[in-house]
Amino acid sequence: MDGNRDSTVLRGGTIVDGTGAPARKGDVLLRDGRIAALGEVPADAGRSFDCTGKVIAPGFIDAHSHMDFFSASGDPRHFDSFTAQGVTTFVSGNCGFSPFGFTPSTRYRSLLEGSLFKAGCETLDWNSFSEYAAVLDELGLTHNFVHLVGHGSARTSLSGFEARPLEPMEYREMLSLLDCAMQEGAAGVSLGLQYKPGVFARLGELDDVARLVKRHDKLLTVHAKAYSCFSGTYPMIPFGRAHNLKAIDDMLGLARRTGVRLQFSHLIFVGSQTWKTVDEAVELFDRAIADGVDLCFDMFPYGCGATLLNTLLPEWFMARMPAALHSPVARTRLRIEAEVGFRLVGFGYPQMQIMNASCAKYDEHNGRFLPDIAARVGMSCFDTMLDILDESDAEARVLFHGYYNDEIVERLMRHPAAIFASDSWPEPGGHQNPAAFGTFPKFLRTARERNNISLEEAVHKMSGAAARRFRLSQRGELREGYAADVTVFDWGRVGERENEAGDAAPEGIDRVFVNGRQIFEQHRISHLPGAGELLKS
Ligand SMILES: [Zn+2]
Ligand SMILES: [Zn+2]
């Protein structure tokens, strides 16, 4: 048999190696899943693809993903929209949610299984990271995965969604669950402080989690307690500090106290009033970095993001769900708080788009904005919102708009601590989050058209920088001996596209290789379970 059977030559392209170094012309030889040579490769080295006029880059790393439940579903089509963007590696288990890290004897398995991110994998048929990894191994991954263990999952398995501090025994068990998952290879811990039950955790608890992560020398990622200048997750103090800044203060304080390596998740600024805090937020990050805090943030390039409708609810209301939905007193208080809050934030019903109402009564309205739905059902926006929460058991998924404007996106992209991510997943039904389809092409197009960062920097932030952040060994760069994760694209043309349903495939992505195996070739996806790897650290 031909000795070069597993060899591929990408010939005559522009090599952007992921380190941020200047692009250079050359060939790249992929052999046995590795990058075997760069520069000039002999003509007979293997199957050859002409890459004239194309960029040869490391496969893109989605530094903030929620594809972990999907990876256990055994259906590789869930990954199509990411494959078509050039993604080869996902960092999963973010925002406090992971499909492992729970105590096997938990009474709350159904809460864990009711995750926001599930599809095709409805039950957790394993009890630890190792067992989960074995299931993935059996199914055969199509992409590479790095997993974080969710503090929220560990905590849910012990005290459900109860609004209380953990008992001493539960506390020890929570830390031991996280410890165990990291020992088994999880790359760090994620916090989800705006979701139940992370929202109920006190700073002291988070400090202990951070110290544990620090002891493993791994990474702590945090979905902070607030991303708007006013948020129900903090008490309201007139003329007090903007809540999103307070949330940043809290997490930078935690990093300073504990020395943990911190990844601030999806640094967004919800609502036009919150946009005024961008300068100060960036200053806080700059100062912490100057003081030696090991800190990065991830971001996506869209002004909207997907989440649960119930993230709008203040902590006191969430703690009394679902009864509060039917309490006239609670509703009245919530209505007043919402009116005031929306005005303070510069955000409201017109910025709420229902992606997946997750209930029969409202599913026909998927993709519509709240005022439109309210008009159609003949109720106020407020009543409609609560009815959707009620009908969906608080599972309704939304796209919130007004997270960024273009100027903020362009500015944050330039920041040295920014790495790129989609924070998205394919919705099993309803309207799609465009980030699941166009994130990386959109970053590249923005860089090309706005010239806010160079091609080399843009690629770096979606490959080499992310690989370093998560300590992925021998990935994220085009370098001899490194894994052959490669994306070939047309720099002059690459970009996202838009359509009504939010699911338009991007253009300009040419070829994608995972560990040397081609999974995408000019709009054609090949599902190759076994191409990807589970990366433990
Ligand atoms: Zn999050
Ligand atoms: Zn997230």
Side-chain angles (χ1 to χ4, degrees):
M1 204 173 280
D2 182 1
N4 292 329
R5 196 174 60 98
D6 285 330
S7 297
T8 302
V9 188
L10 304 173
R11 195 167 291 287
T14 301
I15 299 173
V16 176
D17 68 7
T19 64
R24 59 191 193 274
K25 292 268 185 282
D27 314 323
V28 178
L29 173 63
L30 318 182
R31 179 171 288 161
D32 298 329
R34 298 266 143 193
I35 294 167
L38 289 145
E40 272 189 47
V41 174
D44 60 349
R47 170 178 70 147
S48 170
F49 293 122
D50 180 14
C51 293
T52 310
K54 304 283 163 61
V55 169
I56 308 172
F60 303 151
I61 297 170
D62 190 345
H64 182 120
S65 163
H66 292 283
M67 292 299 286
D68 31 31
F69 280 84
F70 293 89
S71 67
S73 73
D75 183 349
R77 290 170 303 176
H78 290 311
F79 297 96
D80 288 357
S81 71
F82 295 95
T83 304
Q85 297 184 48
V87 173
T88 55
T89 300
F90 296 94
V91 178
S92 218
N94 276 287
C95 302
F97 301 103
S98 61
F100 55 86
F102 53 86
T103 188
S105 60
T106 182
R107 292 188 285 132
Y108 302 104
R109 203 173 272 259
S110 62
L111 289 182
L112 294 159
E113 289 170 346
S115 153
L116 170 59
F117 314 112
K118 67 169 179 192
C121 166
E122 305 297 322
T123 54
L124 300 170
D125 304 320
W126 51 81
N127 283 312
S128 64
F129 181 60
S130 308
E131 287 180 30
Y132 169 71
V135 168
L136 297 186
D137 201 40
E138 179 92 350
L139 289 168
L141 291 168
T142 53
H143 294 69
N144 306 313
F145 265 87
V146 183
H147 284 283
L148 302 160
V149 56
H151 162 257
S153 294
R155 209 181 193 280
T156 302
S157 76
L158 296 162
S159 62
F161 289 165
E162 286 173 37
R164 61 168 174 87
L166 295 173
E167 304 289 343
M169 272 247 299
E170 296 168 338
Y171 200 88
R172 283 194 296 276
E173 170 87 13
M174 180 270 293
L175 291 172
S176 139
L177 288 165
L178 301 178
D179 189 25
C180 191
M182 283 191 283
Q183 272 175 38
E184 291 178 352
V189 172
S190 76
L191 302 175
L193 305 183
Q194 215 173 13
Y195 296 105
K196 292 187 288 187
V199 69
F200 306 128
R202 302 275 153 77
L203 266 180
E205 176 178 333
L206 304 180
D207 274 12
D208 283 342
V209 172
R211 285 192 190 97
L212 176 68
V213 175
K214 167 75 181 168
R215 228 171 20 248
H216 283 270
D217 194 23
K218 295 197 175 187
L219 194 67
L220 182 70
T221 74
V222 54
H223 175 130
K225 198 157 175 168
Y227 287 93
S228 49
C229 57
F230 169 77
S231 164
T233 47
Y234 281 109
M236 186 178 173
I237 300 161
F239 310 108
R241 186 153 175 73
H243 288 165
N244 63 314
L245 295 177
K246 184 165 170 35
I248 294 172
D249 291 341
D250 283 352
M251 289 304 107
L252 297 186
L254 169 142
R256 286 175 195 272
R257 284 191 299 277
T258 63
V260 74
R261 302 172 65 232
L262 190 74
Q263 180 73 25
F264 199 89
S265 296
H266 43 61
L267 179 60
I268 50 174
F269 295 85
V270 179
S272 56
Q273 293 299 320
T274 308
W275 298 347
K276 296 171 185 166
T277 65
V278 172
D279 282 342
E280 200 172 345
V282 170
E283 251 175 63
L284 290 173
F285 282 105
D286 286 343
R287 209 175 310 141
I289 291 165
D291 290 345
V293 176
D294 191 344
L295 172 69
C296 277
F297 63 84
D298 49 70
M299 63 175 295
F300 45 79
Y302 287 88
C304 59
T307 186
L308 287 172
L309 183 55
N310 75 7
T311 53
L312 279 182
L313 299 173
E315 193 180 327
W316 66 265
F317 195 93
M318 254 204 258
R320 292 180 217 164
M321 285 272 278
L325 286 169
H326 303 283
S327 149
V329 177
R331 287 177 74 106
T332 304
R333 178 176 164 194
L334 181 68
R335 185 197 297 264
I336 295 164
E337 284 189 12
E339 263 170 39
V340 174
F342 287 161
R343 202 161 316 141
L344 290 174
V345 172
F347 174 90
Y349 303 114
Q351 280 77 41
M352 298 178 199
Q353 185 180 17
I354 300 293
M355 291 177 77
N356 191 341
S358 309
C359 56
K361 182 170 171 189
Y362 284 96
D363 273 343
E364 63 172 299
H365 299 296
N366 290 340
R368 293 191 175 132
F369 285 81
L370 209 78
D372 182 16
I373 301 172
R376 287 167 192 262
V377 299
M379 293 197 291
S380 70
C381 284
F382 178 80
D383 288 338
T384 306
M385 176 176 79
L386 291 202
D387 198 36
I388 295 172
L389 282 168
D390 195 15
E391 291 284 329
S392 70
D393 281 332
E395 293 233 345
R397 298 115 182 272
V398 285
L399 269 181
F400 285 155
H401 293 255
Y403 277 13
Y404 292 124
N405 59 23
D406 289 349
E407 196 189 324
I408 300 170
V409 170
E410 287 169 28
R411 173 170 177 193
L412 293 180
M413 279 174 68
R414 280 200 306 269
H415 198 281
I419 57 173
F420 295 165
S422 80
D423 191 18
S424 67
W425 57 92
E427 269 302 314
H431 187 90
Q432 296 294 331
N433 179 354
F437 291 78
T439 291
F440 296 92
K442 186 167 163 70
F443 274 125
L444 290 168
R445 181 190 60 73
T446 304
R448 181 183 71 233
E449 289 179 358
R450 304 299 300 167
N451 206 19
N452 57 336
I453 52 171
S454 66
L455 161 64
E456 290 87 345
E457 283 171 290
V459 168
H460 176 58
K461 285 169 178 290
M462 51 180 81
S463 58
R468 292 217 173 158
R469 197 66 196 140
F470 293 94
R471 300 228 170 104
L472 309 188
S473 136
Q474 305 199 325
R475 284 183 199 270
E477 294 175 16
L478 297 182
R479 190 190 285 226
E480 231 177 276
Y482 272 41
D485 297 337
V486 181
T487 293
V488 179
F489 64 91
D490 183 340
W491 171 235
R493 212 161 55 83
V494 67
E496 83 287 10
R497 290 188 308 128
E498 273 166 34
N499 67 0
E500 182 81 6
D503 62 356
E507 58 185 344
I509 302 290
D510 237 48
R511 294 179 188 279
V512 182
F513 298 84
V514 179
N515 296 308
R517 299 173 74 184
Q518 184 166 268
I519 59 167
F520 183 83
E521 178 181 11
Q522 284 116 1
H523 305 299
R524 281 198 308 280
I525 290 171
S526 47
H527 300 112
L528 282 177
E533 285 176 13
L534 184 67
L535 313 175
K536 294 186 182 176
S537 69

